[in-house]
Amino acid sequence: MSGPILVTGATGNVGGAVVARLLARGVACRIGVRDPATVAPTPGVTPVALDFRRPDTFAAAVDGAGGLFLVRPPAIADVRSTLCPLVDAAAAARVPHVVFLSVVGADRNRLVPHHAVERHLARGHVPWTILRPGFFAQNLGDAYRLDLRERDELFVPAGRGRVAWIDTRDLGELAADVLLTPAEHRGRGYGLTGREACSFAEVAELLTRALGRPIHYTPASALGYARRLRARGLPLGQVLVLTILHLGLRRGHAEAVDPTLAALLGRPPRTIADYIADHAALWRP
């Protein structure tokens, strides 16, 4: 490794976990942000200007980087004018390896923006590894947090669907380790899940025990779920994506358990119960 690892999405769950793992292993990081002046100083971390909608920021950000962790921001749908040119800039700068955070099934599904990035990496000239995780445990602390805190309720249109929840801390650890030992992962794409599948009703029971108050799972209708999201001010496009995603859970799209994460980590992945126990304060009033 010839320089600091450049991490995009460092303020998010996965990117933040990548930075934490790299620092724990004594590796310096760059974090790509729109305005470096807004980032509080952290030992081992250098903020650099990187705006996906400003290709003129790419060359300086990747210059001398020892690797790149690449995340697609949810607000960016056009990856061909944003993420793909960043990959090209990394190749031109001879960045030794790119780890791209994709999504499960993106290698086959042309409708998700990640598919185009995966194809671009495969056709390009920079070594790469693709991570395709399933459903995040951290959704409980993000997308579902308000309902849990204010209504004691899990309200999603997932029916009786089961989910092999993956903890982004495990995902960040794996991504960092791949960047530090890339040779064995070059050109590989990994489907990643947690080690067990739980229904939303079972998750509500885990939350009830952890919080000491009843948490209920309401299997919402698609329309009812979309209306609640719109009432919170979410854009229509995001509402549609989230609704379709959760409807897929009804059909078992996230229930299969894949042993790959455990094999790569060399230990059992964290469970959804582990996540809840570690973050109980998130859902207390």
Side-chain angles (χ1 to χ4, degrees), residues 136-172:
F136 293 161
Q138 277 69 11
N139 288 336
L140 290 173
D142 295 331
Y144 309 147
R145 185 182 181 192
L146 194 61
D147 279 338
L148 289 169
R149 287 185 64 180
E150 296 184 353
R151 301 171 181 258
D152 295 332
E153 181 182 39
L154 268 174
F155 183 85
V156 288
R160 297 181 180 178
R162 301 176 68 80
V163 174
W165 307 84
I166 183 171
D167 195 305
T168 60
R169 294 174 291 179
D170 291 333
L171 189 54

PDB file of all heavy atoms in Angstrom, residues 136-172:
ATOM      1  N   PHE A 136     -29.559  -4.207   6.001  1.00  0.00           N
ATOM      2  CA  PHE A 136     -28.751  -3.745   7.120  1.00  0.00           C
ATOM      3  C   PHE A 136     -29.498  -3.782   8.460  1.00  0.00           C
ATOM      4  O   PHE A 136     -30.634  -3.307   8.560  1.00  0.00           O
ATOM      5  CB  PHE A 136     -28.286  -2.312   6.908  1.00  0.00           C
ATOM      6  CG  PHE A 136     -27.319  -2.128   5.770  1.00  0.00           C
ATOM      7  CD1 PHE A 136     -27.131  -0.873   5.215  1.00  0.00           C
ATOM      8  CD2 PHE A 136     -26.591  -3.192   5.268  1.00  0.00           C
ATOM      9  CE1 PHE A 136     -26.240  -0.681   4.179  1.00  0.00           C
ATOM     10  CE2 PHE A 136     -25.695  -3.015   4.223  1.00  0.00           C
ATOM     11  CZ  PHE A 136     -25.516  -1.746   3.679  1.00  0.00           C
ATOM     12  N   ALA A 137     -28.835  -4.274   9.504  1.00  0.00           N
ATOM     13  CA  ALA A 137     -29.362  -4.151  10.864  1.00  0.00           C
ATOM     14  C   ALA A 137     -29.524  -2.683  11.241  1.00  0.00           C
ATOM     15  O   ALA A 137     -30.444  -2.314  11.990  1.00  0.00           O
ATOM     16  CB  ALA A 137     -28.423  -4.845  11.847  1.00  0.00           C
ATOM     17  N   GLN A 138     -28.654  -1.828  10.709  1.00  0.00           N
ATOM     18  CA  GLN A 138     -28.684  -0.403  11.061  1.00  0.00           C
ATOM     19  C   GLN A 138     -29.934   0.315  10.576  1.00  0.00           C
ATOM     20  O   GLN A 138     -30.179   1.457  10.982  1.00  0.00           O
ATOM     21  CB  GLN A 138     -27.425   0.291  10.523  1.00  0.00           C
ATOM     22  CG  GLN A 138     -26.200   0.158  11.412  1.00  0.00           C
ATOM     23  CD  GLN A 138     -25.622  -1.232  11.490  1.00  0.00           C
ATOM     24  OE1 GLN A 138     -25.991  -2.131  10.728  1.00  0.00           O
ATOM     25  NE2 GLN A 138     -24.685  -1.445  12.396  1.00  0.00           N
ATOM     26  N   ASN A 139     -30.749  -0.336   9.733  1.00  0.00           N
ATOM     27  CA  ASN A 139     -32.036   0.270   9.368  1.00  0.00           C
ATOM     28  C   ASN A 139     -32.897   0.511  10.603  1.00  0.00           C
ATOM     29  O   ASN A 139     -33.713   1.445  10.638  1.00  0.00           O
ATOM     30  CB  ASN A 139     -32.788  -0.624   8.387  1.00  0.00           C
ATOM     31  CG  ASN A 139     -32.169  -0.612   7.004  1.00  0.00           C
ATOM     32  OD1 ASN A 139     -31.490   0.331   6.627  1.00  0.00           O
ATOM     33  ND2 ASN A 139     -32.373  -1.673   6.246  1.00  0.00           N
ATOM     34  N   LEU A 140     -32.725  -0.334  11.624  1.00  0.00           N
ATOM     35  CA  LEU A 140     -33.490  -0.138  12.861  1.00  0.00           C
ATOM     36  C   LEU A 140     -33.143   1.186  13.525  1.00  0.00           C
ATOM     37  O   LEU A 140     -33.990   1.817  14.167  1.00  0.00           O
ATOM     38  CB  LEU A 140     -33.223  -1.278  13.843  1.00  0.00           C
ATOM     39  CG  LEU A 140     -33.779  -2.651  13.497  1.00  0.00           C
ATOM     40  CD1 LEU A 140     -33.275  -3.683  14.495  1.00  0.00           C
ATOM     41  CD2 LEU A 140     -35.301  -2.630  13.481  1.00  0.00           C
ATOM     42  N   GLY A 141     -31.898   1.605  13.391  1.00  0.00           N
ATOM     43  CA  GLY A 141     -31.470   2.851  14.012  1.00  0.00           C
ATOM     44  C   GLY A 141     -31.571   4.047  13.098  1.00  0.00           C
ATOM     45  O   GLY A 141     -31.325   5.184  13.535  1.00  0.00           O
ATOM     46  N   ASP A 142     -31.936   3.816  11.845  1.00  0.00           N
ATOM     47  CA  ASP A 142     -32.065   4.909  10.879  1.00  0.00           C
ATOM     48  C   ASP A 142     -33.513   5.031  10.404  1.00  0.00           C
ATOM     49  O   ASP A 142     -34.289   5.804  10.931  1.00  0.00           O
ATOM     50  CB  ASP A 142     -31.125   4.681   9.687  1.00  0.00           C
ATOM     51  CG  ASP A 142     -29.660   4.724  10.094  1.00  0.00           C
ATOM     52  OD1 ASP A 142     -29.327   5.413  11.064  1.00  0.00           O
ATOM     53  OD2 ASP A 142     -28.847   4.053   9.431  1.00  0.00           O
ATOM     54  N   ALA A 143     -33.875   4.230   9.404  1.00  0.00           N
ATOM     55  CA  ALA A 143     -35.189   4.346   8.776  1.00  0.00           C
ATOM     56  C   ALA A 143     -36.335   4.081   9.740  1.00  0.00           C
ATOM     57  O   ALA A 143     -37.413   4.679   9.623  1.00  0.00           O
ATOM     58  CB  ALA A 143     -35.281   3.400   7.585  1.00  0.00           C
ATOM     59  N   TYR A 144     -36.153   3.173  10.726  1.00  0.00           N
ATOM     60  CA  TYR A 144     -37.249   2.787  11.610  1.00  0.00           C
ATOM     61  C   TYR A 144     -37.194   3.473  12.970  1.00  0.00           C
ATOM     62  O   TYR A 144     -38.072   3.255  13.814  1.00  0.00           O
ATOM     63  CB  TYR A 144     -37.221   1.265  11.854  1.00  0.00           C
ATOM     64  CG  TYR A 144     -37.134   0.427  10.604  1.00  0.00           C
ATOM     65  CD1 TYR A 144     -36.456  -0.782  10.617  1.00  0.00           C
ATOM     66  CD2 TYR A 144     -37.727   0.837   9.410  1.00  0.00           C
ATOM     67  CE1 TYR A 144     -36.364  -1.566   9.481  1.00  0.00           C
ATOM     68  CE2 TYR A 144     -37.633   0.057   8.276  1.00  0.00           C
ATOM     69  CZ  TYR A 144     -36.955  -1.138   8.310  1.00  0.00           C
ATOM     70  OH  TYR A 144     -36.860  -1.907   7.181  1.00  0.00           O
ATOM     71  N   ARG A 145     -36.201   4.279  13.192  1.00  0.00           N
ATOM     72  CA  ARG A 145     -35.972   4.809  14.543  1.00  0.00           C
ATOM     73  C   ARG A 145     -37.132   5.670  15.046  1.00  0.00           C
ATOM     74  O   ARG A 145     -37.544   5.560  16.207  1.00  0.00           O
ATOM     75  CB  ARG A 145     -34.675   5.619  14.565  1.00  0.00           C
ATOM     76  CG  ARG A 145     -34.293   6.103  15.959  1.00  0.00           C
ATOM     77  CD  ARG A 145     -33.039   6.945  15.916  1.00  0.00           C
ATOM     78  NE  ARG A 145     -32.654   7.392  17.235  1.00  0.00           N
ATOM     79  CZ  ARG A 145     -31.739   8.316  17.466  1.00  0.00           C
ATOM     80  NH1 ARG A 145     -31.098   8.878  16.449  1.00  0.00           N
ATOM     81  NH2 ARG A 145     -31.448   8.686  18.700  1.00  0.00           N
ATOM     82  N   LEU A 146     -37.662   6.523  14.191  1.00  0.00           N
ATOM     83  CA  LEU A 146     -38.716   7.444  14.637  1.00  0.00           C
ATOM     84  C   LEU A 146     -39.954   6.684  15.088  1.00  0.00           C
ATOM     85  O   LEU A 146     -40.529   6.975  16.149  1.00  0.00           O
ATOM     86  CB  LEU A 146     -39.067   8.416  13.509  1.00  0.00           C
ATOM     87  CG  LEU A 146     -39.899   9.638  13.899  1.00  0.00           C
ATOM     88  CD1 LEU A 146     -39.149  10.485  14.924  1.00  0.00           C
ATOM     89  CD2 LEU A 146     -40.223  10.467  12.664  1.00  0.00           C
ATOM     90  N   ASP A 147     -40.393   5.707  14.318  1.00  0.00           N
ATOM     91  CA  ASP A 147     -41.556   4.909  14.712  1.00  0.00           C
ATOM     92  C   ASP A 147     -41.304   4.171  16.022  1.00  0.00           C
ATOM     93  O   ASP A 147     -42.200   4.067  16.876  1.00  0.00           O
ATOM     94  CB  ASP A 147     -41.904   3.893  13.619  1.00  0.00           C
ATOM     95  CG  ASP A 147     -42.709   4.506  12.481  1.00  0.00           C
ATOM     96  OD1 ASP A 147     -43.346   5.545  12.711  1.00  0.00           O
ATOM     97  OD2 ASP A 147     -42.684   3.947  11.375  1.00  0.00           O
ATOM     98  N   LEU A 148     -40.108   3.650  16.188  1.00  0.00           N
ATOM     99  CA  LEU A 148     -39.797   2.908  17.407  1.00  0.00           C
ATOM    100  C   LEU A 148     -39.782   3.818  18.627  1.00  0.00           C
ATOM    101  O   LEU A 148     -40.283   3.455  19.696  1.00  0.00           O
ATOM    102  CB  LEU A 148     -38.448   2.198  17.257  1.00  0.00           C
ATOM    103  CG  LEU A 148     -38.444   1.009  16.292  1.00  0.00           C
ATOM    104  CD1 LEU A 148     -37.024   0.550  15.994  1.00  0.00           C
ATOM    105  CD2 LEU A 148     -39.263  -0.139  16.876  1.00  0.00           C
ATOM    106  N   ARG A 149     -39.234   4.999  18.487  1.00  0.00           N
ATOM    107  CA  ARG A 149     -39.147   5.918  19.632  1.00  0.00           C
ATOM    108  C   ARG A 149     -40.493   6.542  19.978  1.00  0.00           C
ATOM    109  O   ARG A 149     -40.841   6.675  21.148  1.00  0.00           O
ATOM    110  CB  ARG A 149     -38.140   7.033  19.344  1.00  0.00           C
ATOM    111  CG  ARG A 149     -36.685   6.580  19.372  1.00  0.00           C
ATOM    112  CD  ARG A 149     -35.736   7.736  19.214  1.00  0.00           C
ATOM    113  NE  ARG A 149     -35.852   8.674  20.336  1.00  0.00           N
ATOM    114  CZ  ARG A 149     -35.125   9.774  20.444  1.00  0.00           C
ATOM    115  NH1 ARG A 149     -34.245  10.081  19.510  1.00  0.00           N
ATOM    116  NH2 ARG A 149     -35.256  10.564  21.478  1.00  0.00           N
ATOM    117  N   GLU A 150     -41.251   6.924  18.953  1.00  0.00           N
ATOM    118  CA  GLU A 150     -42.469   7.696  19.188  1.00  0.00           C
ATOM    119  C   GLU A 150     -43.731   6.841  19.262  1.00  0.00           C
ATOM    120  O   GLU A 150     -44.705   7.243  19.898  1.00  0.00           O
ATOM    121  CB  GLU A 150     -42.628   8.747  18.088  1.00  0.00           C
ATOM    122  CG  GLU A 150     -41.515   9.792  18.083  1.00  0.00           C
ATOM    123  CD  GLU A 150     -41.752  10.871  17.053  1.00  0.00           C
ATOM    124  OE1 GLU A 150     -42.714  10.745  16.253  1.00  0.00           O
ATOM    125  OE2 GLU A 150     -40.971  11.850  17.046  1.00  0.00           O
ATOM    126  N   ARG A 151     -43.717   5.671  18.600  1.00  0.00           N
ATOM    127  CA  ARG A 151     -44.925   4.853  18.529  1.00  0.00           C
ATOM    128  C   ARG A 151     -44.744   3.445  19.091  1.00  0.00           C
ATOM    129  O   ARG A 151     -45.700   2.665  19.111  1.00  0.00           O
ATOM    130  CB  ARG A 151     -45.396   4.741  17.070  1.00  0.00           C
ATOM    131  CG  ARG A 151     -45.723   6.060  16.389  1.00  0.00           C
ATOM    132  CD  ARG A 151     -45.961   5.831  14.896  1.00  0.00           C
ATOM    133  NE  ARG A 151     -46.254   7.051  14.167  1.00  0.00           N
ATOM    134  CZ  ARG A 151     -47.460   7.438  13.783  1.00  0.00           C
ATOM    135  NH1 ARG A 151     -48.508   6.669  14.037  1.00  0.00           N
ATOM    136  NH2 ARG A 151     -47.640   8.564  13.121  1.00  0.00           N
ATOM    137  N   ASP A 152     -43.527   3.099  19.498  1.00  0.00           N
ATOM    138  CA  ASP A 152     -43.233   1.729  19.946  1.00  0.00           C
ATOM    139  C   ASP A 152     -43.644   0.724  18.874  1.00  0.00           C
ATOM    140  O   ASP A 152     -44.216  -0.331  19.169  1.00  0.00           O
ATOM    141  CB  ASP A 152     -43.959   1.415  21.267  1.00  0.00           C
ATOM    142  CG  ASP A 152     -43.460   2.272  22.415  1.00  0.00           C
ATOM    143  OD1 ASP A 152     -42.282   2.685  22.369  1.00  0.00           O
ATOM    144  OD2 ASP A 152     -44.235   2.524  23.346  1.00  0.00           O
ATOM    145  N   GLU A 153     -43.307   1.035  17.649  1.00  0.00           N
ATOM    146  CA  GLU A 153     -43.849   0.267  16.534  1.00  0.00           C
ATOM    147  C   GLU A 153     -42.820   0.079  15.426  1.00  0.00           C
ATOM    148  O   GLU A 153     -42.083   1.002  15.075  1.00  0.00           O
ATOM    149  CB  GLU A 153     -45.069   0.999  15.966  1.00  0.00           C
ATOM    150  CG  GLU A 153     -45.753   0.303  14.800  1.00  0.00           C
ATOM    151  CD  GLU A 153     -46.916   1.115  14.250  1.00  0.00           C
ATOM    152  OE1 GLU A 153     -46.790   2.361  14.173  1.00  0.00           O
ATOM    153  OE2 GLU A 153     -47.930   0.513  13.910  1.00  0.00           O
ATOM    154  N   LEU A 154     -42.783  -1.131  14.886  1.00  0.00           N
ATOM    155  CA  LEU A 154     -42.135  -1.408  13.613  1.00  0.00           C
ATOM    156  C   LEU A 154     -43.235  -1.435  12.557  1.00  0.00           C
ATOM    157  O   LEU A 154     -44.110  -2.302  12.593  1.00  0.00           O
ATOM    158  CB  LEU A 154     -41.432  -2.763  13.659  1.00  0.00           C
ATOM    159  CG  LEU A 154     -39.967  -2.804  14.076  1.00  0.00           C
ATOM    160  CD1 LEU A 154     -39.501  -4.252  14.193  1.00  0.00           C
ATOM    161  CD2 LEU A 154     -39.094  -2.042  13.095  1.00  0.00           C
ATOM    162  N   PHE A 155     -43.218  -0.488  11.641  1.00  0.00           N
ATOM    163  CA  PHE A 155     -44.300  -0.318  10.676  1.00  0.00           C
ATOM    164  C   PHE A 155     -43.713  -0.415   9.272  1.00  0.00           C
ATOM    165  O   PHE A 155     -43.195   0.553   8.722  1.00  0.00           O
ATOM    166  CB  PHE A 155     -44.960   1.043  10.897  1.00  0.00           C
ATOM    167  CG  PHE A 155     -46.149   1.313  10.010  1.00  0.00           C
ATOM    168  CD1 PHE A 155     -47.417   0.863  10.380  1.00  0.00           C
ATOM    169  CD2 PHE A 155     -46.015   2.039   8.838  1.00  0.00           C
ATOM    170  CE1 PHE A 155     -48.522   1.129   9.576  1.00  0.00           C
ATOM    171  CE2 PHE A 155     -47.110   2.306   8.033  1.00  0.00           C
ATOM    172  CZ  PHE A 155     -48.365   1.845   8.404  1.00  0.00           C
ATOM    173  N   VAL A 156     -43.745  -1.619   8.695  1.00  0.00           N
ATOM    174  CA  VAL A 156     -43.205  -1.836   7.355  1.00  0.00           C
ATOM    175  C   VAL A 156     -44.069  -2.872   6.629  1.00  0.00           C
ATOM    176  O   VAL A 156     -44.670  -3.745   7.264  1.00  0.00           O
ATOM    177  CB  VAL A 156     -41.743  -2.332   7.395  1.00  0.00           C
ATOM    178  CG1 VAL A 156     -40.801  -1.217   7.818  1.00  0.00           C
ATOM    179  CG2 VAL A 156     -41.587  -3.522   8.308  1.00  0.00           C
ATOM    180  N   PRO A 157     -44.127  -2.796   5.301  1.00  0.00           N
ATOM    181  CA  PRO A 157     -44.967  -3.730   4.533  1.00  0.00           C
ATOM    182  C   PRO A 157     -44.224  -5.018   4.176  1.00  0.00           C
ATOM    183  O   PRO A 157     -44.171  -5.430   3.014  1.00  0.00           O
ATOM    184  CB  PRO A 157     -45.307  -2.916   3.291  1.00  0.00           C
ATOM    185  CG  PRO A 157     -44.109  -2.059   3.069  1.00  0.00           C
ATOM    186  CD  PRO A 157     -43.582  -1.727   4.439  1.00  0.00           C
ATOM    187  N   ALA A 158     -43.648  -5.671   5.191  1.00  0.00           N
ATOM    188  CA  ALA A 158     -42.825  -6.846   4.945  1.00  0.00           C
ATOM    189  C   ALA A 158     -43.553  -8.160   5.194  1.00  0.00           C
ATOM    190  O   ALA A 158     -42.975  -9.227   4.996  1.00  0.00           O
ATOM    191  CB  ALA A 158     -41.569  -6.786   5.820  1.00  0.00           C
ATOM    192  N   GLY A 159     -44.806  -8.092   5.633  1.00  0.00           N
ATOM    193  CA  GLY A 159     -45.546  -9.317   5.891  1.00  0.00           C
ATOM    194  C   GLY A 159     -44.828 -10.212   6.882  1.00  0.00           C
ATOM    195  O   GLY A 159     -44.321  -9.766   7.903  1.00  0.00           O
ATOM    196  N   ARG A 160     -44.759 -11.505   6.540  1.00  0.00           N
ATOM    197  CA  ARG A 160     -44.059 -12.470   7.390  1.00  0.00           C
ATOM    198  C   ARG A 160     -42.642 -12.740   6.900  1.00  0.00           C
ATOM    199  O   ARG A 160     -42.009 -13.725   7.311  1.00  0.00           O
ATOM    200  CB  ARG A 160     -44.842 -13.776   7.430  1.00  0.00           C
ATOM    201  CG  ARG A 160     -46.225 -13.644   8.055  1.00  0.00           C
ATOM    202  CD  ARG A 160     -46.936 -14.989   8.070  1.00  0.00           C
ATOM    203  NE  ARG A 160     -48.271 -14.879   8.669  1.00  0.00           N
ATOM    204  CZ  ARG A 160     -49.127 -15.887   8.767  1.00  0.00           C
ATOM    205  NH1 ARG A 160     -48.787 -17.089   8.304  1.00  0.00           N
ATOM    206  NH2 ARG A 160     -50.316 -15.710   9.324  1.00  0.00           N
ATOM    207  N   GLY A 161     -42.155 -11.877   6.037  1.00  0.00           N
ATOM    208  CA  GLY A 161     -40.827 -12.069   5.468  1.00  0.00           C
ATOM    209  C   GLY A 161     -39.733 -12.093   6.513  1.00  0.00           C
ATOM    210  O   GLY A 161     -39.791 -11.385   7.521  1.00  0.00           O
ATOM    211  N   ARG A 162     -38.741 -12.930   6.265  1.00  0.00           N
ATOM    212  CA  ARG A 162     -37.602 -13.042   7.166  1.00  0.00           C
ATOM    213  C   ARG A 162     -36.389 -12.386   6.510  1.00  0.00           C
ATOM    214  O   ARG A 162     -36.253 -12.383   5.279  1.00  0.00           O
ATOM    215  CB  ARG A 162     -37.313 -14.507   7.496  1.00  0.00           C
ATOM    216  CG  ARG A 162     -38.500 -15.200   8.155  1.00  0.00           C
ATOM    217  CD  ARG A 162     -38.239 -16.678   8.382  1.00  0.00           C
ATOM    218  NE  ARG A 162     -37.203 -16.903   9.378  1.00  0.00           N
ATOM    219  CZ  ARG A 162     -37.404 -16.842  10.698  1.00  0.00           C
ATOM    220  NH1 ARG A 162     -38.599 -16.532  11.176  1.00  0.00           N
ATOM    221  NH2 ARG A 162     -36.422 -17.071  11.537  1.00  0.00           N
ATOM    222  N   VAL A 163     -35.496 -11.873   7.347  1.00  0.00           N
ATOM    223  CA  VAL A 163     -34.350 -11.101   6.860  1.00  0.00           C
ATOM    224  C   VAL A 163     -33.067 -11.625   7.507  1.00  0.00           C
ATOM    225  O   VAL A 163     -33.015 -11.790   8.728  1.00  0.00           O
ATOM    226  CB  VAL A 163     -34.525  -9.600   7.191  1.00  0.00           C
ATOM    227  CG1 VAL A 163     -33.271  -8.818   6.825  1.00  0.00           C
ATOM    228  CG2 VAL A 163     -35.744  -9.038   6.472  1.00  0.00           C
ATOM    229  N   ALA A 164     -32.050 -11.858   6.698  1.00  0.00           N
ATOM    230  CA  ALA A 164     -30.724 -12.239   7.210  1.00  0.00           C
ATOM    231  C   ALA A 164     -29.924 -10.962   7.447  1.00  0.00           C
ATOM    232  O   ALA A 164     -29.026 -10.603   6.691  1.00  0.00           O
ATOM    233  CB  ALA A 164     -30.009 -13.155   6.220  1.00  0.00           C
ATOM    234  N   TRP A 165     -30.276 -10.258   8.509  1.00  0.00           N
ATOM    235  CA  TRP A 165     -29.742  -8.923   8.812  1.00  0.00           C
ATOM    236  C   TRP A 165     -28.214  -8.921   8.870  1.00  0.00           C
ATOM    237  O   TRP A 165     -27.608  -9.743   9.545  1.00  0.00           O
ATOM    238  CB  TRP A 165     -30.278  -8.444  10.157  1.00  0.00           C
ATOM    239  CG  TRP A 165     -31.761  -8.482  10.291  1.00  0.00           C
ATOM    240  CD1 TRP A 165     -32.534  -9.554  10.641  1.00  0.00           C
ATOM    241  CD2 TRP A 165     -32.674  -7.402  10.101  1.00  0.00           C
ATOM    242  NE1 TRP A 165     -33.855  -9.202  10.669  1.00  0.00           N
ATOM    243  CE2 TRP A 165     -33.976  -7.888  10.347  1.00  0.00           C
ATOM    244  CE3 TRP A 165     -32.510  -6.056   9.754  1.00  0.00           C
ATOM    245  CZ2 TRP A 165     -35.114  -7.091  10.265  1.00  0.00           C
ATOM    246  CZ3 TRP A 165     -33.633  -5.250   9.665  1.00  0.00           C
ATOM    247  CH2 TRP A 165     -34.914  -5.763   9.909  1.00  0.00           C
ATOM    248  N   ILE A 166     -27.594  -7.953   8.192  1.00  0.00           N
ATOM    249  CA  ILE A 166     -26.143  -7.805   8.231  1.00  0.00           C
ATOM    250  C   ILE A 166     -25.792  -6.512   8.955  1.00  0.00           C
ATOM    251  O   ILE A 166     -26.422  -5.472   8.729  1.00  0.00           O
ATOM    252  CB  ILE A 166     -25.533  -7.825   6.810  1.00  0.00           C
ATOM    253  CG1 ILE A 166     -24.005  -7.741   6.868  1.00  0.00           C
ATOM    254  CG2 ILE A 166     -26.099  -6.729   5.929  1.00  0.00           C
ATOM    255  CD1 ILE A 166     -23.329  -7.971   5.526  1.00  0.00           C
ATOM    256  N   ASP A 167     -24.822  -6.585   9.834  1.00  0.00           N
ATOM    257  CA  ASP A 167     -24.387  -5.426  10.614  1.00  0.00           C
ATOM    258  C   ASP A 167     -23.316  -4.686   9.822  1.00  0.00           C
ATOM    259  O   ASP A 167     -22.333  -5.282   9.382  1.00  0.00           O
ATOM    260  CB  ASP A 167     -23.825  -5.890  11.960  1.00  0.00           C
ATOM    261  CG  ASP A 167     -23.683  -4.762  12.964  1.00  0.00           C
ATOM    262  OD1 ASP A 167     -23.015  -3.762  12.636  1.00  0.00           O
ATOM    263  OD2 ASP A 167     -24.228  -4.884  14.083  1.00  0.00           O
ATOM    264  N   THR A 168     -23.485  -3.387   9.636  1.00  0.00           N
ATOM    265  CA  THR A 168     -22.532  -2.624   8.829  1.00  0.00           C
ATOM    266  C   THR A 168     -21.152  -2.558   9.475  1.00  0.00           C
ATOM    267  O   THR A 168     -20.162  -2.282   8.795  1.00  0.00           O
ATOM    268  CB  THR A 168     -23.043  -1.202   8.566  1.00  0.00           C
ATOM    269  OG1 THR A 168     -23.236  -0.515   9.804  1.00  0.00           O
ATOM    270  CG2 THR A 168     -24.345  -1.221   7.789  1.00  0.00           C
ATOM    271  N   ARG A 169     -21.065  -2.826  10.774  1.00  0.00           N
ATOM    272  CA  ARG A 169     -19.744  -2.886  11.400  1.00  0.00           C
ATOM    273  C   ARG A 169     -18.937  -4.048  10.834  1.00  0.00           C
ATOM    274  O   ARG A 169     -17.734  -3.924  10.574  1.00  0.00           O
ATOM    275  CB  ARG A 169     -19.890  -2.998  12.920  1.00  0.00           C
ATOM    276  CG  ARG A 169     -20.493  -1.762  13.571  1.00  0.00           C
ATOM    277  CD  ARG A 169     -20.748  -1.994  15.053  1.00  0.00           C
ATOM    278  NE  ARG A 169     -21.827  -2.969  15.273  1.00  0.00           N
ATOM    279  CZ  ARG A 169     -22.223  -3.366  16.481  1.00  0.00           C
ATOM    280  NH1 ARG A 169     -21.630  -2.894  17.569  1.00  0.00           N
ATOM    281  NH2 ARG A 169     -23.213  -4.241  16.615  1.00  0.00           N
ATOM    282  N   ASP A 170     -19.593  -5.187  10.618  1.00  0.00           N
ATOM    283  CA  ASP A 170     -18.918  -6.320   9.988  1.00  0.00           C
ATOM    284  C   ASP A 170     -18.547  -6.005   8.545  1.00  0.00           C
ATOM    285  O   ASP A 170     -17.469  -6.363   8.066  1.00  0.00           O
ATOM    286  CB  ASP A 170     -19.818  -7.553  10.024  1.00  0.00           C
ATOM    287  CG  ASP A 170     -20.004  -8.113  11.429  1.00  0.00           C
ATOM    288  OD1 ASP A 170     -19.109  -7.913  12.265  1.00  0.00           O
ATOM    289  OD2 ASP A 170     -21.050  -8.738  11.682  1.00  0.00           O
ATOM    290  N   LEU A 171     -19.447  -5.336   7.863  1.00  0.00           N
ATOM    291  CA  LEU A 171     -19.206  -4.991   6.465  1.00  0.00           C
ATOM    292  C   LEU A 171     -18.027  -4.030   6.337  1.00  0.00           C
ATOM    293  O   LEU A 171     -17.161  -4.193   5.461  1.00  0.00           O
ATOM    294  CB  LEU A 171     -20.477  -4.369   5.886  1.00  0.00           C
ATOM    295  CG  LEU A 171     -20.538  -4.109   4.386  1.00  0.00           C
ATOM    296  CD1 LEU A 171     -20.229  -5.374   3.600  1.00  0.00           C
ATOM    297  CD2 LEU A 171     -21.910  -3.568   4.021  1.00  0.00           C
ATOM    298  N   GLY A 172     -17.962  -3.021   7.215  1.00  0.00           N
ATOM    299  CA  GLY A 172     -16.849  -2.080   7.188  1.00  0.00           C
ATOM    300  C   GLY A 172     -15.528  -2.752   7.509  1.00  0.00           C
ATOM    301  O   GLY A 172     -14.486  -2.451   6.899  1.00  0.00           O
TER     302      GLY A 172
END
